Amino acid sequence: MNTGDGPAPIRDPAGDGPREPASLHAEASDEARVFQAVGDQYIVEVRDLRVTFVMDQGRIHRVGRPTADEDCPYPGLEPFGLEQADWYFGREKLIADLTIRLDGSVADRTPLVIVAPSGAGKSSLLRAGLLPAIERGDLPAAGSRHWQRLVFTPTHSPMRALTAHFAVLTDPRGGAAEPPDWRSVDHGVRRSTLRRALSQNAAGTDSRVVVIVDQLEEIYTQCEDEEERRAFIEELAWLADPGDGHDPVGLVVLGLRADFYAPCAGYPWLRTTVQHNQVFLGPMSRSELRDAIVLPAHKVGLTVETGLVEVLLRDLGASGTEPGGRDGTAENPEDYEAGRLSTVRANPGDHEH
């Protein structure tokens, strides 16, 4: 038998401060184990099953995963995808700003670049935020809600990834056949085929394909072929502005990790693009974080207890009062590292077993 014991502070309901600590005790039989993560949290593990119990406001709550037939509105460590857009909250103002910026890109033929530190939520913003906004018709450009949309990562072979997505647009069978090697097809033929396919499916005279390249840094981290890297950048440049008197074929959005900002300087078109039209994605404000925690649960008919919300905000360094009671960044922005959530914080006086 394995036990977990530890003190838990009990506050006087009259408000006169803490009384003497009450001892929490848990037992598990056979192969089960009990861990005390912090003073008010226990984790019970039996083989591959792990269940967490939390003491909050004098009551014990089980924190578990939903059953197979229940919706979980939190993707965990994975980014939100298009199919999870209904659960994506906290970035509404930014998404509105991005659609306005993107409308400017329609006019001046310049891609929109979203730069963010790792873990800041760039992929979720692109896939579950901006893409659905375009689909809803939030982009002011006429007919843009009907434009075809592509979102992909470059992978180790960015040209292969791009031509595979082009094949979906140009092949009546939906790109069922393996696309030919990009080097074996003249780029003029590839481009004219794409333009012809878009004109046949056009929702209007200025129809385009929205091309969202997430994790653009993969052209440096995964692609080892400099020729292919440059060809991919040239293809993106052509999509945004063919430069031959024709209307643009694409509306290009690039997502770039902040620590790969400098390598873009070695490619003139990419350097100019980043200089001209970029949005630097920062951490969420306290109110945005609260929405991101609470509203997905509300969407599926669940409620997040206030005490848990405050714990999560505290662990993110965003537990202070925002200036003027309005939207703002975390109380101590230097303590809020994008992408970090400290699930266990040891405080003086905590006991671990």
Side-chain angles (χ1 to χ4, degrees):
M1 177 178 291
N2 180 275
T3 63
D5 299 273
I10 303 297
R11 295 197 172 272
D12 189 338
D16 296 331
R19 299 201 309 242
E20 63 181 68
S23 177
L24 296 180
H25 178 82
E27 296 182 356
S29 60
D30 299 326
E31 299 179 27
R33 294 182 293 169
V34 177
F35 306 92
Q36 184 179 1
V38 291
D40 56 356
Q41 181 183 71
Y42 285 96
I43 301 174
V44 179
E45 184 181 79
V46 183
R47 294 187 178 88
D48 294 330
L49 174 64
R50 176 172 289 196
V51 182
T52 302
F53 296 89
V54 176
M55 171 70 77
D56 178 45
Q57 299 180 355
R59 293 181 295 169
I60 295 178
H61 308 271
R62 173 178 170 175
V63 182
R65 293 180 177 274
T67 59
D69 61 345
E70 293 179 318
D71 287 330
C72 178
Y74 306 100
L77 297 179
E78 296 297 319
F80 283 83
L82 179 61
E83 68 282 359
Q84 297 160 321
D86 286 345
W87 301 335
Y88 184 68
F89 292 95
R91 294 289 195 184
E92 289 81 3
K93 183 179 184 302
L94 177 59
I95 293 169
D97 291 341
L98 289 178
T99 57
I100 295 173
R101 293 284 292 267
L102 199 55
D103 189 51
S105 296
V106 174
D108 62 20
R109 306 184 177 192
T110 303
L112 175 64
V113 184
I114 299 175
V115 183
S118 178
K122 167 172 50 66
S123 293
S124 295
L125 175 66
L126 291 172
R127 296 169 184 267
L130 183 59
L131 201 62
I134 296 173
E135 187 176 1
R136 288 193 304 266
D138 293 354
L139 185 63
S144 57
R145 66 176 303 176
H146 302 293
W147 292 355
Q148 299 188 69
R149 296 170 292 276
L150 302 177
V151 56
F152 65 96
T153 58
T155 72
H156 70 283
S157 181
M159 280 302 296
R160 181 179 180 182
L162 183 62
T163 54
H165 282 83
F166 280 180
V168 174
L169 300 177
T170 59
D171 189 342
R173 296 170 297 174
E178 179 72 15
D181 182 80
W182 66 273
R183 289 183 176 87
S184 66
V185 180
D186 179 75
H187 72 271
V189 173
R190 181 173 57 246
R191 293 172 179 179
S192 62
T193 301
L194 177 63
R195 185 183 291 279
R196 185 167 53 253
L198 288 176
S199 65
Q200 293 172 351
N201 298 322
T205 56
D206 191 27
S207 182
R208 305 191 194 184
V209 55
V210 179
V211 179
I212 299 180
V213 183
D214 188 16
Q215 300 179 41
L216 181 66
E217 65 274 4
E218 287 185 354
I219 66 174
Y220 308 116
T221 62
Q222 295 194 28
C223 178
E224 299 178 353
D225 187 335
E226 178 62 21
E227 179 188 1
E228 181 170 3
R229 184 181 300 122
R230 290 189 177 277
F232 179 69
I233 293 172
E234 289 173 5
E235 207 71 9
L236 293 178
W238 174 80
L239 284 167
D241 185 1
D244 57 5
H246 290 89
D247 291 332
V249 172
L251 179 62
V252 179
V253 181
L254 307 175
L256 177 68
R257 211 170 80 193
D259 47 337
F260 285 90
Y261 191 88
C264 296
Y267 305 87
W269 176 83
L270 201 50
R271 179 178 65 245
T272 301
T273 296
V274 173
Q275 287 176 333
H276 181 75
N277 193 21
Q278 69 160 301
V279 174
F280 198 93
L281 181 61
M284 286 182 169
S285 68
R286 184 171 183 266
S287 59
E288 289 172 337
L289 286 168
R290 182 180 292 276
D291 286 348
I293 295 169
V294 173
L295 296 184
H298 289 178
K299 194 73 176 181
V300 295
L302 301 175
T303 301
V304 179
E305 293 196 2
T306 303
L308 177 58
V309 175
E310 295 306 320
V311 167
L312 292 173
L313 291 174
R314 180 199 67 193
D315 286 346
L316 281 167
S319 58
T321 302
E322 295 178 3
R326 295 173 297 178
D327 285 350
T329 57
E331 180 186 20
N332 299 303
E334 67 276 8
D335 295 334
Y336 178 11
E337 178 184 347
R340 173 188 64 80
L341 174 59
S342 175
T343 55
V344 176
R345 174 177 291 180
N347 296 313
D350 283 348
H351 297 275
E352 297 181 359
H353 298 274

